[in-house]
Amino acid sequence: MTTPPTRPATPDLRRTAYAIGGAVLATTLLWTVAHILGIELRIGPGGGWPNQAIGLPLVAGSTLVASLLASATRKALDRLTDPTPTIWTRLAVTVLLVSLAPLTFVQASGGARATLALMHLAVAAVLIPLLAPRNAD
């Protein structure tokens, strides 16, 4: 008798909520530490455009939106394809690398760039392991 191949389990609602909440918490904590250390999170596109302050509502809101999009993408991939456990993970790592690219072009202090890069990495460090497919047991 042969056993059918196992399909990666879709993350349950609790695990998804932990992932989204954890990502928002991680970026909120990093923003708070940067604020306490006096790192001013201001970025400017250059070319005479004014600098933009990156406040806590922007950080938390954009993290929430990115996390919800990651979760929705994971669920859509599960419905549309017969994913192996690496498809979503590879896509997530690609999105992380693309999200880091603009940090090389904006005008910002070294501390601001480092903090923003850490925020991007923190979101990935929370979302990728928690939303990545696991083989059903």
Side-chain angles (χ1 to χ4, degrees):
M1 178 179 252
T2 62
T3 59
T6 59
R7 182 181 175 124
T10 307
D12 63 346
L13 186 58
R14 180 179 297 165
R15 189 172 175 90
T16 301
Y18 287 154
I20 293 169
V24 172
L25 179 63
T27 56
T28 300
L29 288 174
L30 284 169
W31 184 92
T32 303
V33 168
H35 187 71
I36 290 170
L37 294 176
I39 298 171
E40 190 174 5
L41 295 179
R42 287 186 139 328
I43 60 168
W49 291 92
N51 286 348
Q52 177 185 359
I54 299 180
L56 185 57
L58 178 62
V59 168
S62 59
T63 303
L64 178 62
V65 169
S67 299
L68 290 170
L69 285 171
S71 175
T73 301
R74 166 67 204 286
K75 289 178 183 177
L77 277 174
D78 284 348
R79 274 188 239 118
L80 297 174
T81 65
D82 186 22
T84 62
T86 60
I87 291 173
W88 186 87
T89 305
R90 288 179 182 173
L91 179 61
V93 169
T94 301
V95 169
L96 168 65
L97 295 174
V98 169
S99 78
L100 289 171
L103 293 177
T104 61
F105 302 111
V106 297
Q107 294 178 346
S109 69
R113 284 179 199 232
T115 302
L116 293 170
L118 282 174
M119 286 180 183
H120 285 238
L121 294 170
V123 169
V126 172
L127 292 181
I128 292 173
L130 289 176
L131 294 181
R134 296 180 297 165
N135 287 332
D137 293 330

